[in-house]
Amino acid sequence: MIQKPKGTYDVFGDYGKKVLYLEMLFQSLMEKYNYEFIRTPIFEATDLFHRGVGETTDIVSKETYDFLDRGERKMTLRPEGTAGVVRSFIENKMYTNSSMPVKTWYYGPMFRYERPQAGRYREFYQMGVEAFGTSDPLMDAEVISIAVNFYKLLGLKDVKVRINSLGDSESRSNYRDALLAYFKQHLDKLCSDCKERYNKNPLRILDCKVDHDLDIMHNAPKISDYLSNEAIDHFEKVKDYLDNSGISYIVDDNLVRGLDYYTNTVFEVEADIPGFGANSVLSAGGRYDHLVENIGGPSTPGVGFALGMERLINVLEASSINLNIENGIDLYVIPMNDIVKSYAFDVTNKLRMSGFKVEMDYMNRNLKSNFKQADRLNSHFVAIIGEDEMANDYITIKNNITKEEDKIDTAYLVNYLDEKLLQEDCTCGDDCDCNHDHDCGCEHH
Ligand code: ATP
Ligand code: MG
């Protein structure tokens, strides 16, 4: 048997329901924030990621899926969403002044050749946003608020936001000098990757997963001591906006993030659950004021973040949070024999087109096992269609909850179901268990 590639997984059943629910919830949050959907190719020219993500990052140096296409072009399966969105922003000339800010959101698979483990896959899904055209710290705060509010909508309480500022070019270059001077005395204690980072990009040393807990890491110079006045002012404003919207956060001096393109604000949202495991970072992002320019566009500031779908589902499960996923169907249709099957099929489809969730028997089950099947599917009603029903245009319908039985004229079936589903689902007291999808006038609508 051929098996799925290492580090990938199949989506089906209840997991599939969760994925669709989370996608839909994120989409509806994005509508509220007025972000536009964007979808870019899953593979792009390899160069894009070298320039976009950065040569010295783990992602580009160790994790990309690179291949030559049949025309000998160097291609890469995207390891993250930002570079492609920036490429599209430039190529489609989205940068006209009147359209700014351009606020986009995306959802899709990303590919990294990593060691698979819980919460870490080779193909994984990210939802994310990128907002272009303003360097106002208000947009940093907006992007952070999206991450926070998404988790809040889901009822996730155990999350912690960590933020830091990497400053502007001037701050970064002063800080780089300080790091070079500091780590020079400790080079022998660093891992081999970090020794290379020392030469290429010393900031990256602070993001090392191997050397992370060494004392020399904690005692390293802090970026906060090297920020320019402008960068300090930017960071203070971001913090003020967050404070004023009741979004709590922790300033983490050692947060540098694994990508090269960040300037000023960087942030991570982490699951704050004891024993949750090493892969507890749920989402991450920051500001990238030079990325558009680096990729070949006009100088345009930007800020964004991405959240991992798999880790989100893990943390929802660990926190025992049930999503408000509708289970069950409205009606299960039982054709009594072959003669009425086609008629039953037509009734079924018409009801589906009128907005009901309807399933029918495809297995030629007998009546008893069909009723069992209706229970298994959690069907509210069961319709029985025999020859008499077909000849006289009515349907025998049984309410699976109240056990009442009715004979209903086919012409009134839609009205009947509408009325019954509304009455029974939405006798809306406050802790009703209706799905709030009928406008019954309760406080949920
Ligand atoms: P980590 O430090 O855990 O490797 P990262 O810094 O590489 O994360 P980002 O590139 O910032 O991660 O991606 C943002 C989010 O995407 C992460 O917070 C995580 O939820 C998710 N993510 C990243 N890599 C993976 C992966 N291999 N499998 C599943 N989810 C991932
Ligand atoms: Mg990583």
Side-chain angles (χ1 to χ4, degrees):
M1 234 292 285
I2 298 172
Q3 293 180 332
K4 62 182 183 297
K6 196 172 163 189
T8 66
Y9 62 96
D10 300 312
V11 171
F12 56 92
D14 283 346
Y15 194 91
K17 284 185 190 154
K18 286 183 190 174
V19 164
L20 285 183
Y21 177 87
L22 293 169
E23 267 177 53
M24 191 200 65
L25 192 72
F26 194 71
Q27 178 180 342
S28 81
L29 183 64
M30 288 295 78
E31 280 163 13
K32 313 268 158 49
Y33 271 91
N34 195 33
Y35 279 60
E36 279 183 19
F37 181 63
I38 184 164
R39 181 153 63 200
T40 61
I42 282 171
F43 62 93
E44 297 264 7
T46 300
D47 273 354
L48 175 65
F49 301 111
H50 282 255
R51 269 205 265 170
V53 181
E55 308 272 2
T56 59
T57 59
D58 277 2
I59 294 181
V60 164
S61 60
K62 297 186 202 153
E63 297 174 1
T64 51
Y65 277 89
D66 301 318
F67 62 99
L68 279 183
D69 73 7
R70 287 171 195 269
E72 307 274 301
R73 296 174 198 89
K74 282 187 183 161
M75 294 290 165
T76 295
L77 297 183
R78 65 180 184 199
E80 53 94 60
T82 307
V85 173
V86 169
R87 198 258 320 124
S88 171
F89 173 82
I90 300 167
E91 197 166 337
N92 295 298
K93 300 192 172 54
M94 295 181 207
Y95 42 72
T96 55
N97 224 342
S98 56
S99 59
M100 297 295 194
V102 173
K103 306 202 296 182
T104 61
W105 74 275
Y106 61 83
Y107 172 62
M110 307 295 160
F111 304 85
R112 296 184 195 174
Y113 194 81
E114 302 202 68
R115 196 166 64 78
Q117 52 197 279
R120 195 174 288 282
Y121 298 89
R122 290 184 173 174
E123 181 187 37
F124 60 98
Y125 279 75
Q126 282 185 339
M127 305 194 252
V129 310
E130 314 294 349
F132 299 97
T134 175
S135 51
D136 195 310
L138 188 63
M139 197 57 94
D140 309 37
E142 172 165 304
V143 166
I144 296 171
S145 81
I146 293 173
V148 171
N149 283 337
F150 184 54
Y151 298 124
K152 193 169 171 186
L153 275 179
L154 288 164
L156 257 183
K157 294 197 180 69
D158 307 318
V159 295
K160 181 166 82 182
V161 181
R162 292 185 293 120
I163 63 173
N164 193 19
S165 172
L166 302 180
D168 45 31
S169 317
E170 183 197 332
S171 329
R172 289 276 274 272
S173 123
N174 292 339
Y175 184 49
R176 187 190 143 93
D177 292 345
L179 286 176
L180 286 175
Y182 174 78
F183 281 116
K184 194 169 185 175
Q185 331 143 41
H186 302 294
L187 266 181
D188 53 325
K189 298 186 197 89
L190 294 176
C191 73
S192 58
D193 277 347
C194 279
K195 288 192 178 107
E196 210 168 302
R197 289 176 184 129
Y198 179 85
N199 294 317
K200 290 188 178 156
N201 189 348
L203 205 72
R204 219 21 4 96
I205 297 175
L206 299 175
D207 199 38
C208 178
K209 294 200 171 77
V210 178
D211 293 339
H212 187 260
D213 293 324
L214 296 180
D215 279 344
I216 52 164
M217 295 300 236
H218 299 296
N219 300 330
K222 305 286 179 224
I223 180 82
S224 48
D225 294 327
Y226 296 85
L227 294 180
S228 67
N229 288 337
E230 242 184 317
I232 292 173
D233 185 49
H234 185 99
F235 197 33
E236 288 305 314
K237 284 191 173 132
V238 174
K239 289 188 282 184
D240 275 353
Y241 291 131
L242 294 177
D243 289 337
N244 290 328
S245 354
I247 295 173
S248 41
Y249 56 85
I250 298 158
V251 176
D252 178 352
D253 266 338
N254 275 346
L255 182 66
V256 295
R257 304 280 311 118
L259 313 174
D260 269 355
Y261 49 60
Y262 289 115
T263 47
N264 283 314
T265 318
V266 288
F267 74 97
E268 287 187 350
V269 182
E270 200 176 346
D272 198 10
I273 303 177
F276 184 68
N279 298 316
S280 60
V281 179
L282 301 178
S283 52
R287 176 164 278 288
Y288 46 81
D289 286 347
H290 306 298
L291 183 60
V292 177
E293 213 173 332
N294 287 351
I295 292 183
S299 167
T300 311
V303 52
F305 88 100
L307 71 89
M309 184 66 118
E310 299 77 10
R311 291 186 198 180
L312 171 59
I313 294 180
N314 285 353
V315 79
L316 288 169
E317 282 170 4
S319 319
S320 307
I321 288 180
N322 285 322
L323 302 178
N324 187 20
I325 293 173
E326 276 183 53
N327 267 315
I329 57 172
D330 297 323
L331 178 72
Y332 183 73
V333 175
I334 307 175
M336 290 299 283
N337 58 38
D338 244 24
I339 302 166
V340 299
K341 215 187 221 170
S342 168
Y343 175 75
F345 179 58
D346 187 43
V347 171
T348 298
N349 281 338
K350 284 195 173 117
L351 288 173
R352 287 168 172 163
M353 292 304 284
S354 302
F356 298 103
K357 289 201 260 175
V358 189
E359 183 57 300
M360 69 179 282
D361 172 34
Y362 310 91
M363 306 299 290
N364 303 313
R365 291 186 163 94
N366 65 31
L367 200 59
K368 196 171 158 206
S369 53
N370 258 327
F371 269 102
K372 270 198 193 141
Q373 181 64 3
D375 287 343
R376 238 176 304 189
L377 293 173
N378 202 4
S379 187
H380 200 130
F381 291 94
V382 180
I384 298 158
I385 302 182
E387 286 168 70
D388 192 53
E389 278 88 349
M390 182 168 83
N392 297 302
D393 270 338
Y394 73 93
I395 271 154
T396 303
I397 199 156
K398 190 171 167 192
N399 188 324
N400 226 356
I401 294 160
T402 63
K403 305 297 172 200
E404 279 169 312
E405 216 178 282
D406 271 322
K407 295 198 186 307
I408 308 297
D409 231 47
T410 322
Y412 291 111
L413 198 53
V414 167
N415 285 353
Y416 176 86
L417 287 173
D418 252 344
E419 207 170 289
K420 290 282 179 186
L421 286 168
L422 206 110
Q423 268 175 18
E424 285 169 25
D425 271 356
C426 265
T427 44
C428 247
D430 253 352
D431 61 357
C432 64
D433 61 355
C434 78
N435 293 312
H436 314 307
D437 54 357
H438 305 282
D439 193 359
C440 67
C442 78
E443 61 158 30
H444 301 283
H445 299 115

